[in-house]
Amino acid sequence: MRNAPHLPRGKTLVLFLTLSLISLFSKAQSTFPVNGVVDPREHCYAFTHATIVKDGASTLSDATLVIRDGRIVNVGAGLTPPRDAVVVDCHGKYIYPSFIDLYTDYGITGPERPRSNALEFFRGPSQMNSNTKGAYGWNQAIHPETDASRLFATDSARASALRDEGFGTVLSHVKDGIARGTGVVVTLAQENENLVIVKTKASAHYSLNKGTSTQSYPSSLMGAIALLRQTYIDAAWYKSQPYHEGTNLSLQAWNDEQSLPQIFDGSDKWGDLHGDRIGDEFNVQYIIKAGENEYQRIKEIAATKAAYIVPVDFPQPMDVEDPDVARYVSLADMKHWELAPTNPGAFEKAGITFCLTTSDLRDPRQFLTNLRKAFDYGLTEGRALDALTKTPATLIGIYDKVGSIDAGKLANFLITTGPIFNEKTSIVENWVQGKPYGVKEDAWKNIRGQYDLVITPVGGGSSETYVLDIRSSTSASVIGKDTLNTRFSYDGKLVSIFFGGLTNPGGAANAGGGFRGRPGGGRPGGGRPGGAIHLSGAVNGEVFNGNGTDSTGNLVIWTAAFSKPLSPDTTAPRHRPRRIGKVLYPFDGYGWDSLPAQHDLLIRNATVWTNEQEGHLPNTDVLIKAGKIARIGKDLEAGDAIVIDGTGKYLAPGIIDEHSHIAAFSINEGAHSVTSEVRIADNLNPEDINIYRQLAGGVTSSHILHGSANTIGGQTQLIKLRWGVNDTALKFRNWDPFIKFALGENVKRTTSQNNNRFPDTRMGVEEVLMDAFTRARDYQKARKAAPGATRRDLELDALVEILEHKRFITCHSYVQSEITALMRVADKFGFTVNTFTHILEGYKVADKLKAHGSNVSTFSDWWAYKMEVQDAIAYNAAIMTREGLNVCINSDDAEQARRLNQEAAKSVKYGGLTEDE
């Protein structure tokens, strides 16, 4: 060593031997016993004369890669192989780092999914509590204590399928539940499990799918979101409090995992956004596993600032030849089939950090095929390589071990016949931890070319000469006077050739010459390919030779010597499609090519219904600026506004639907009697076609309510029916927040014989309300007295907002007795029930409702669909109006909402209300 201190020669030798022994024992020692004789040999290989792509930014020509005992020790041009290395000549070959997949369950046997019944929720009985044994959390869909490294076992078949597509390292986790525990990084080597694990607790995983959990809660998307939010809150409280409810292994594991990379399964453009919002609320930046359709909202996806794991699972073509089948294929389905391959390229174009995964593919062997299709639709090869190597390794902190070809890293690399993403390129071998796994080993030698084939009978006789054109390891032609039927195979070592006569044993005769010019000659039948010449042998440099039988079954020897290369393959290269359709907003048959801009409008000469004291104004103009009514009058100046002729038309305020269930992915979270923690706003669906249809019916705003499955349901959301915007832009800004309550048969589940969720009676409904607000009042006091020590409860937060007159109630109701009961509870706790909706017996208690200060929202003449609506009458709305209540007609139905003007008109006919009323 240049800078080592001078030592006497003897001591230098002792020091050298000591260091050598330390090095030997550091590599040889193992906790596993030896059965037999230990073999301490090092495995050293030098791959020479290769084009080595170290990473996406660095490529070496005519370079050498040296590996020893499963690791890369050197890489570069002009290197001299070590004396003990096995030298592998890679002339004409490329070497790449093996790929990395961050979203698999390779080697994991997850929990068995129970058989489910679509009506299970309604039939009961419900599983209210977790069935997980031990000191774990209350909900079995939250199991962060799951450690994939403890469940992992190598899987030869799956490993082989992934290696064949170029993968050498994967991140594996249990794809089950909302909080899924930790993932493990493993290589795809077929060794003992402890040898292939690269990193045990490498990541923490989440989703909004409760998976195999049989527990009743959550039963909806918004319930899953609420549960995940509450778990973040509970874990922070558990960590901060020296004294809490006791040991909770789930929350303890949750807190231990927060320093790991956090991976969230969005699986869809809206799911991605749901997850990102949860992360933003709790200062967590998720790595998001995407779906196939993010290209439809790529601006919103880019705004998350998250890194993504992007699948390449594209939809199959749909059969539209049969009109009876084609009518079930929507334009959205066809558009998605057309545009799904643009998804990876859309991430690249938007500047989003992403990696690629085999996840969602029916067969991982489709990966490279689909990836090449993505190249045709905008993804670049350079970005794809990064997305399969450096980016995933960096995201989960293993770039010091894998992801490029650099000294010190695991010897995970591919040997290919050309640039990795070229359609003609084959992966020859996939080396994982220094061990070779053959993929297409017959491609080691490029046998493509023209050969002189000479066949000589054994025992004397004249030789026959042919031309052998080899195009690939499975495709060749033998040419004599004519081109003969040929079957050819080459596995990298051995070759087999059938030609002339039958090329398929047991099949019918094929046209073509036999040996010695006898067409189809030789003995018919006989269990052999009738009349075919069969040759087998091996390759030696540029010469094939071996033995075989002629068309009559006589033994022959043969030689095929390379004579010249074949002409270049003229197969037309694949090209990007000439035309790719536009994304629609929303992605529907009635969507916009782009969202329309807002314009100033002047509507001239219409009959204006003001809904104010001015009443009806004939021949009147209305000027709209920046989306708001600026002036009403006659002969108004248009300025830059677009002019609309309203002559003969009526202009009225847009209809508001007080009770709607459209535009949401889930409506009911009915697992518990009180679910005030869930929010309709968390799962709005801006692509619901009912938005479009109800706009056509005059509705411009809708109050989207939670369902009536439980006594205290979820928080509601008022929306503007803005067709084409995202879910956030649907929301009505600066509105007073509401929550949905319900009474009666739906809540007590009268029709269910197996209901085990309290309550079963109307009396029980009242007690649920009393209990909930008693708990809320106690919680309110505790938070004011000791805010830091009191666990935040999302369910009780909403109820406290009611007590503090910050949130208001709309309540599903029918029967006068239960209406009166809820008002009693409200009076006791000092709040007002803002709205009784449905309230078909409202005419019986209109005076009480007025005294309480409630509004009412009802049907015009919809009844007789269950027992508690038998006393409904067509005059209900009119009677309550005459009593001085604020009355509205609601839909509670997507179809009825299209004609609310006609529903309201029934009260003119039956109840004598004026048109203004």
Side-chain angles (χ1 to χ4, degrees):
M1 292 180 293
R2 181 182 299 173
N3 297 319
H6 177 73
L7 291 173
R9 183 174 180 181
K11 291 186 178 182
T12 302
L13 179 61
V14 172
L15 176 61
F16 173 77
L17 291 174
T18 302
L19 291 175
S20 299
L21 287 171
I22 291 174
S23 174
L24 173 63
F25 281 109
S26 66
K27 293 180 180 179
Q29 284 181 305
S30 170
T31 59
F32 284 71
V34 175
N35 180 23
V37 179
V38 68
D39 183 356
R41 288 178 298 176
E42 291 185 343
H43 297 281
C44 182
Y45 296 87
F47 302 87
T48 62
H49 304 299
T51 300
I52 299 179
V53 182
K54 295 181 61 179
D55 52 43
S58 178
T59 300
L60 305 177
S61 299
D62 194 19
T64 297
L65 169 66
V66 180
I67 68 171
R68 185 182 296 277
D69 279 350
R71 289 190 176 270
I72 298 169
V73 296
N74 209 349
V75 59
L79 297 179
T80 300
R83 293 178 60 186
D84 62 337
V86 175
V87 178
V88 181
D89 185 357
C90 292
H91 181 78
K93 304 297 187 296
Y94 285 66
I95 296 179
Y96 288 84
S98 293
F99 300 156
I100 303 166
D101 191 337
L102 293 190
Y103 208 82
T104 78
D105 57 0
Y106 163 71
I108 303 293
T109 302
E112 184 177 350
R113 188 172 297 275
R115 293 183 179 181
S116 61
N117 189 317
L119 300 178
E120 179 183 358
F121 174 77
F122 299 99
R123 291 178 177 175
S126 300
Q127 180 191 325
M128 305 301 291
N129 300 309
S130 172
N131 59 16
T132 303
K133 305 300 181 183
Y136 298 104
W138 73 272
N139 195 284
Q140 67 192 54
I142 303 291
H143 45 85
E145 65 276 3
T146 301
D147 183 347
S149 67
R150 294 179 177 273
L151 302 174
F152 174 77
T154 55
D155 183 331
S156 299
R158 291 191 65 187
S160 177
L162 289 166
R163 287 195 305 264
D164 287 354
E165 294 298 294
F167 290 90
T169 308
V170 299
L171 174 61
S172 189
H173 76 285
V174 178
K175 293 182 178 179
D176 181 70
I178 292 173
R180 300 173 164 186
T182 55
V184 57
V185 176
V186 298
T187 70
L188 297 176
Q190 291 301 289
E191 304 289 350
N192 196 300
E193 281 75 7
N194 71 306
L195 299 177
V196 302
I197 291 178
V198 176
K199 193 172 185 179
T200 51
K201 294 188 177 183
S203 53
H205 293 261
Y206 310 87
S207 80
L208 293 176
N209 186 333
K210 73 176 186 179
T212 60
S213 169
T214 53
Q215 198 168 343
S216 55
Y217 185 91
S219 62
S220 66
L221 172 60
M222 57 185 168
I225 292 173
L227 177 58
L228 189 53
R229 294 177 64 230
Q230 186 65 63
T231 306
Y232 272 107
I233 293 167
D234 290 350
W237 171 78
Y238 182 87
K239 184 177 182 179
S240 66
Q241 297 301 311
Y243 305 102
H244 33 64
E245 62 183 354
T247 297
N248 187 317
L249 297 177
S250 296
L251 295 182
Q252 184 174 311
W254 176 288
N255 287 328
D256 291 343
E257 295 163 13
Q258 292 308 298
S259 61
L260 301 176
Q262 307 287 295
I263 299 179
F264 178 86
D265 182 5
S267 290
D268 170 76
K269 60 190 177 188
W270 303 123
D272 300 347
L273 299 179
H274 294 152
D276 185 68
R277 288 164 190 160
I278 295 170
D280 289 346
E281 182 178 357
F282 297 99
N283 297 315
V284 174
Q285 182 60 74
Y286 288 125
I287 300 167
I288 298 177
K289 189 270 180 182
E292 303 173 23
N293 61 3
E294 282 75 12
Y295 66 92
Q296 298 171 16
R297 292 284 174 175
I298 199 66
K299 289 183 179 179
E300 289 92 334
I301 296 298
T304 65
K305 305 300 183 185
Y308 284 80
I309 303 170
V310 180
V312 291
D313 180 31
F314 307 138
Q316 297 297 306
M318 286 152 279
D319 180 9
V320 293
E321 294 293 331
D322 185 342
D324 286 336
V325 175
R327 64 196 177 101
Y328 294 109
V329 179
S330 69
L331 178 62
D333 291 337
M334 293 291 288
K335 289 285 292 181
H336 179 56
W337 167 79
E338 176 194 21
L339 296 178
T342 68
N343 204 43
F347 277 86
E348 178 178 355
K349 186 176 180 181
I352 302 170
T353 298
F354 71 96
C355 47
L356 297 167
T357 177
T358 59
S359 180
D360 303 341
L361 288 170
R362 289 171 293 280
D363 183 345
R365 291 181 175 87
Q366 297 174 318
F367 178 78
L368 284 174
T369 298
N370 284 13
L371 183 58
R372 289 173 181 132
K373 187 173 185 178
F375 296 147
D376 299 337
Y377 285 78
L379 179 65
T380 66
E381 294 186 6
R383 191 64 180 275
L385 182 60
D386 282 344
L388 287 166
T389 53
K390 182 177 182 179
T391 300
T394 302
L395 286 176
I396 57 170
I398 58 170
Y399 192 56
D400 61 326
K401 298 178 177 66
V402 290
S404 69
I405 297 179
D406 286 298
K409 295 189 176 183
L410 293 179
N412 287 13
F413 58 91
L414 309 173
I415 300 176
T416 70
T417 59
I420 182 64
F421 298 125
N422 190 304
E423 195 167 8
K424 299 295 183 182
T425 292
S426 297
I427 298 174
V428 179
E429 290 181 341
N430 188 342
W431 286 66
V432 183
Q433 287 186 264
K435 181 178 179 181
Y437 295 90
V439 178
K440 193 171 178 56
E441 291 188 289
D442 58 335
W444 260 115
K445 175 177 173 54
N446 182 8
I447 60 172
R448 179 181 166 85
Q450 193 173 90
Y451 295 74
D452 294 328
L453 172 62
V454 179
I455 302 174
T456 304
V458 174
S462 59
S463 298
E464 297 286 343
T465 302
Y466 299 85
V467 173
L468 175 64
D469 277 351
I470 301 179
R471 291 178 292 278
S472 71
S473 62
T474 59
S475 176
S477 297
V478 174
I479 305 171
K481 293 181 179 179
D482 300 302
T483 300
L484 305 176
N485 291 325
T486 306
R487 190 176 69 193
F488 178 84
S489 67
Y490 172 66
D491 65 3
K493 298 176 182 177
L494 301 178
V495 64
S496 178
I497 309 172
F498 282 92
F499 70 94
L502 291 180
T503 57
N504 293 300
N510 293 311
F515 190 56
R516 299 186 183 275
R518 294 191 296 270
R523 296 166 295 177
R528 295 182 58 257
I533 298 172
H534 177 202
L535 309 177
S536 61
V539 64
N540 181 16
E542 295 186 339
V543 177
F544 289 93
N545 52 43
N547 53 41
T549 56
D550 65 12
S551 59
T552 61
N554 297 318
L555 295 178
V556 297
I557 58 175
W558 64 278
T559 299
F562 180 83
S563 58
K564 65 179 181 179
L566 294 182
S567 301
D569 194 330
T570 57
T571 303
R574 297 174 62 183
H575 292 291
R576 181 181 175 90
R578 292 182 178 179
R579 179 184 178 276
I580 297 178
K582 294 182 179 180
V583 174
L584 301 178
Y585 300 94
F587 202 75
D588 185 271
Y590 299 92
W592 308 91
D593 282 351
S594 59
L595 293 180
Q598 186 182 77
H599 298 285
D600 293 344
L601 304 172
L602 177 62
I603 303 169
R604 289 193 183 277
N605 203 33
T607 299
V608 179
W609 287 24
T610 66
N611 270 25
E612 299 290 345
Q613 62 183 359
E614 291 83 1
H616 301 180
L617 303 176
N619 304 318
T620 299
D621 301 344
V622 176
L623 179 63
I624 300 168
K625 283 187 169 292
K628 293 192 175 184
I629 297 171
R631 290 185 63 192
I632 301 173
K634 296 182 183 294
D635 301 322
L636 299 181
E637 292 293 331
D640 295 330
I642 296 173
V643 177
I644 298 173
D645 184 6
T647 302
K649 305 295 191 297
Y650 288 79
L651 180 62
I655 293 171
I656 302 168
D657 190 356
E658 186 278 333
H659 187 137
S660 177
H661 296 303
I662 67 167
F665 290 110
S666 61
I667 289 296
N668 264 307
E669 178 49 69
H672 295 164
S673 293
V674 179
T675 57
S676 47
E677 73 279 3
V678 305
R679 306 181 298 195
I680 289 291
D682 286 335
N683 72 160
L684 289 175
N685 175 15
E687 297 187 321
D688 186 349
I689 190 61
N690 289 300
I691 297 175
Y692 182 87
R693 291 170 177 165
Q694 291 178 20
L695 277 167
V699 179
T700 57
S701 297
S702 295
H703 191 197
I704 313 304
L705 306 188
H706 184 277
S708 55
N710 38 12
T711 305
I712 299 179
Q715 300 167 37
T716 68
Q717 179 63 51
L718 184 63
I719 67 171
K720 282 279 192 181
L721 303 191
R722 298 183 173 101
W723 184 238
V725 301
N726 61 31
D727 55 343
T728 299
L730 279 182
K731 297 175 184 177
F732 204 108
R733 293 184 290 273
N734 302 319
W735 72 297
D736 293 325
F738 273 67
I739 190 170
K740 172 73 176 295
F741 283 23
L743 308 169
E745 293 181 20
N746 290 18
V747 172
K748 64 190 186 70
R749 298 184 175 183
T750 303
T751 58
S752 173
Q753 299 301 312
N754 297 309
N755 179 42
N756 63 330
R757 189 201 72 185
F758 187 87
D760 286 328
T761 65
R762 298 181 195 275
M763 295 182 293
V765 173
E766 185 174 356
E767 286 308 307
V768 168
L769 291 165
M770 289 291 295
D771 174 75
F773 281 104
T774 299
R775 290 187 291 116
R777 189 166 57 187
D778 293 343
Y779 172 75
Q780 181 186 37
K781 292 177 181 177
R783 293 207 70 182
K784 288 181 179 178
T790 304
R791 166 184 167 271
R792 184 184 169 204
D793 189 314
L794 295 176
E795 175 191 305
L796 297 178
D797 278 350
L799 301 184
V800 168
E801 290 175 348
I802 296 171
L803 295 176
E804 295 177 350
H805 310 292
K806 297 176 181 177
R807 184 174 295 278
F808 303 93
I809 299 167
T810 179
C811 183
H812 163 110
S813 57
Y814 291 102
V815 178
Q816 61 172 327
S817 59
E818 66 189 13
I819 296 167
T820 303
L822 177 54
M823 289 191 289
R824 277 199 309 265
V825 173
D827 290 341
K828 180 179 179 64
F829 287 94
F831 62 86
T832 299
V833 181
N834 187 86
T835 308
F836 281 94
T837 188
H838 303 328
I839 197 161
L840 295 186
E841 292 188 16
Y843 66 92
K844 298 181 180 181
V845 288
D847 53 344
K848 293 181 180 179
L849 291 165
K850 184 177 181 181
H852 182 68
S854 293
N855 304 276
V856 290
S857 180
T858 189
F859 300 130
S860 56
D861 61 353
W862 195 5
W863 55 69
Y865 47 88
K866 55 182 174 179
M867 286 301 299
E868 63 185 358
V869 301
Q870 296 305 310
D871 283 357
I873 60 176
Y875 314 103
N876 187 41
I879 292 172
M880 292 190 292
T881 300
R882 297 287 179 251
E883 285 296 314
L885 290 170
N886 181 41
V887 182
C888 65
I889 301 294
N890 66 62
S891 74
D892 191 23
D893 177 77
E895 184 64 23
Q896 185 158 283
R898 298 172 65 182
R899 46 191 61 84
L900 278 173
N901 57 325
Q902 295 165 347
E903 291 298 310
K906 293 174 182 177
S907 294
V908 176
K909 177 177 181 178
Y910 295 110
L913 294 183
T914 68
E915 289 187 337
D916 282 339
E917 286 175 316

